[in-house]
Amino acid sequence: MLATTMRELDARGIDSFLPDLPGTNESLQSFSAQSLHGWRTAMALAARHFAANRVLALRGGALVFPNTLPGWVLEPVMGATLLRRMLRTRVLASREAGRHEDSATLLAQGREEGIELAGYYLGPALVAGLESARPLDEGQREIRMTELGGSALWLRAEPGEDAAQSVRLAQIVAEEFDA
Amino acid sequence: MDNAVSSPDLALREVLDAVLALGTARLAALGTDSPLFGAIPELDSMAIATLFGAIEERFDLFLDDDAISAETLETYGTLLDFVRAQCGC
């Protein structure tokens, strides 16, 4: 979705970049050593490095984006919501495998020693951070899914594409760029 | 979230479509007897967690993990009854 949006922005004369969070994708750092604080610092540094003058944050990105820049947030989500969903996935997967686990115990374990969720090893700092983190938007314009049309792609069980949504997102950004 | 209460059936269909990308035809064919769990290959633990998260968001609910069971997900009808009972709508 975002790659298409970025190409659409480029076609409208707007350069954009999508930084990897430390510990993810091509980053050489270990994921288990990450924290929201570290990610916020990294995103602020990236914004400075590329001399960004606008920012667009999506969902959980709103927990770590450089909120000193003007811009947009798309359906921002609380850290606790993300954490709860990941914990629940693990509880259900364990149940399928015949093991009983419950979210509260797993969360306590995560706070103490870290925990593996959705294939990622979350360190205690990241668990604690997510538990209390709220979207950081401060004056950025909040975009809701209804403005893009269709349903949210991050809910899809299988990865999906919706070019019309990506184009609409780029249109909103381009139209409101100097607003 | 406001129209969730006026038509839980419609709202639940929207949520199912968002998660499972059922498409218009399969969505229209969905009746109260339509089996869900075990009948839809995409419905794995990750999808079920997402589905219930999306239901919570759409209906403004907080569901206990223990409420998520094979019985709840047996058919579209059992899921709709469950959601209705939870939100009183």
Side-chain angles (χ1 to χ4, degrees):
Chain A
M1 174 186 189
L2 287 178
T4 310
T5 299
M6 291 168 78
R7 273 193 290 272
E8 289 292 325
L9 284 173
D10 183 59
R12 289 164 174 78
I14 298 169
D15 291 334
S16 60
F17 69 98
L18 177 64
D20 286 341
L21 291 170
T24 68
N25 294 333
E26 288 175 34
S27 164
L28 299 174
Q29 293 191 33
S30 136
F31 187 89
S32 60
Q34 304 307 318
S35 67
L36 289 185
H37 175 74
W39 281 348
R40 282 180 197 128
T41 308
M43 291 302 102
L45 280 170
R48 207 172 314 150
H49 177 79
F50 290 99
N53 53 14
R54 299 288 187 282
V55 65
L56 168 64
L58 181 98
R59 295 290 280 169
L63 304 173
V64 295
F65 81 115
N67 65 350
T68 49
L69 291 173
W72 307 260
V73 290
L74 175 62
E75 294 274 351
V77 64
M78 293 201 300
T81 307
L82 296 174
L83 193 57
R84 214 161 103 73
R85 206 159 294 182
M86 288 192 285
L87 284 165
R88 182 174 274 172
T89 302
R90 169 152 165 179
V91 167
L92 295 178
S94 298
R95 202 192 285 169
E96 273 176 23
R99 285 193 309 273
H100 178 78
E101 290 183 323
D102 72 89
S103 289
T105 313
L106 289 175
L107 182 58
Q109 180 202 326
R111 276 190 216 118
E112 291 283 316
E113 58 204 55
I115 186 172
E116 195 189 324
L117 294 176
Y120 289 99
Y121 188 84
L122 283 72
L126 188 54
V127 172
L130 282 173
E131 240 192 309
S132 56
R134 296 182 158 274
L136 303 171
D137 50 305
E138 237 175 47
Q140 287 82 14
R141 216 272 276 177
E142 193 171 313
I143 305 174
R144 309 303 314 193
M145 265 317 293
T146 46
E147 294 180 63
L148 303 186
S151 61
L153 292 174
W154 53 84
L155 293 177
R156 288 279 168 87
E158 303 293 325
E161 265 294 325
D162 186 337
Q165 277 184 22
S166 304
V167 172
R168 183 69 198 120
L169 184 57
Q171 270 171 354
I172 291 174
V173 168
E175 279 165 17
E176 298 177 4
F177 198 84
D178 293 314
Chain B
M1 237 170 254
D2 300 332
N3 58 347
V5 180
S6 64
S7 178
D9 178 42
L10 209 66
L12 186 59
R13 281 170 194 271
E14 276 172 20
V15 170
L16 273 171
D17 188 42
V19 177
L20 299 169
L22 294 173
T24 322
R26 280 166 81 194
L27 208 60
L30 205 63
T32 47
D33 292 337
S34 304
L36 294 179
F37 191 62
I40 298 177
E42 292 93 338
L43 211 51
D44 58 10
S45 51
M46 178 87 93
I48 294 172
T50 306
L51 175 64
F52 279 82
I55 288 173
E56 287 180 323
E57 219 169 300
R58 189 73 169 79
F59 291 87
D60 203 11
L61 294 172
F62 195 86
L63 303 169
D64 196 85
D65 288 346
D66 292 333
I68 305 169
S69 63
E71 292 82 65
T72 312
L73 281 168
E74 199 181 338
T75 64
Y76 177 70
T78 59
L79 182 62
L80 181 60
D81 287 344
F82 167 76
V83 171
R84 280 198 153 124
Q86 292 288 325
C87 71
C89 59

